[in-house]
Amino acid sequence: MKKFASFLLGAVAGCAAGFLAGSLLVSDEQVDDVKNKIKDNDKLQDLKKKYDNGTEIVKNQLASFPKNVEDDPELKDFDDIVIDDSNKDDDDSENAEESVNDLNNAEKDDTDAASTSEKPQA
């Protein structure tokens, strides 16, 4: 941990010294001169155009990707998702009959409860 703290302190001190030296030793005229040379350099301007075109292409490609699943509100509601395994081959006919009976009983219970709750009590 001591080495890391020394490294961090050295990095901060080095950055501060570099910034201070750059701001004090380089005059504004020299900075303006370098900026003008960059603007007048055709190769650098060509590279800048190629870079801008490349980044635009990448942005368009990223925009064409489908939305994340997390952002899709239709997939957030898991009550609407139905898993259909009807193509699954089950030789267990008793299990299927039990499922049908369970469904029939559940429907009867629901209709019985609905009919008793709708009747006015005197």
Side-chain angles (χ1 to χ4, degrees), residues 69-83:
V69 173
E70 299 167 355
D71 296 338
D72 195 354
E74 293 177 3
L75 291 178
K76 284 184 178 179
D77 189 11
F78 290 107
D79 293 338
D80 295 339
I81 297 175
V82 176
I83 299 172

Side-chain angles (χ1 to χ4, degrees), residues 5 11 14 18-19 21-22 28-30 38 41 47 50 53 58 63 68 95 105 110-111 117 119:
F19 180 74
D28 290 337
E29 293 174 0
Q30 289 174 332
I38 290 173
N41 193 334
L47 284 175
K50 287 181 181 179
N53 288 339
V58 170
N68 289 339
N95 188 19
N105 291 336
D110 290 343
T111 56
S117 64
K119 292 180 182 178

Side-chain angles (χ1 to χ4, degrees), residues 8-117:
L8 191 60
L9 180 64
V12 170
C15 288
F19 180 74
L20 183 63
S23 64
L24 294 178
L25 297 176
V26 179
S27 67
D28 290 337
E29 293 174 0
Q30 289 174 332
V31 172
D32 292 338
D33 186 39
V34 170
K35 285 182 181 180
N36 287 334
K37 285 182 181 178
I38 290 173
K39 287 181 184 176
D40 294 338
N41 193 334
D42 291 335
K43 289 183 181 179
L44 287 177
Q45 294 302 319
D46 186 43
L47 284 175
K48 184 178 183 293
K49 286 180 185 178
K50 287 181 181 179
Y51 174 78
D52 290 341
N53 288 339
T55 54
E56 189 66 30
I57 290 170
V58 170
K59 285 180 186 177
N60 290 336
Q61 288 175 346
L62 290 175
S64 68
F65 285 142
K67 294 188 300 185
N68 289 339
V69 173
E70 299 167 355
D71 296 338
D72 195 354
E74 293 177 3
L75 291 178
K76 284 184 178 179
D77 189 11
F78 290 107
D79 293 338
D80 295 339
I81 297 175
V82 176
I83 299 172
D84 182 20
D85 60 349
S86 60
N87 59 357
K88 185 176 164 184
D89 295 331
D90 283 337
D91 293 333
D92 191 12
S93 60
E94 293 177 8
N95 188 19
E97 289 176 6
E98 288 177 8
S99 298
V100 170
N101 288 335
D102 289 342
L103 287 173
N104 287 335
N105 291 336
E107 289 175 2
K108 286 179 183 177
D109 292 342
D110 290 343
T111 56
D112 290 343
S115 64
T116 57
S117 64

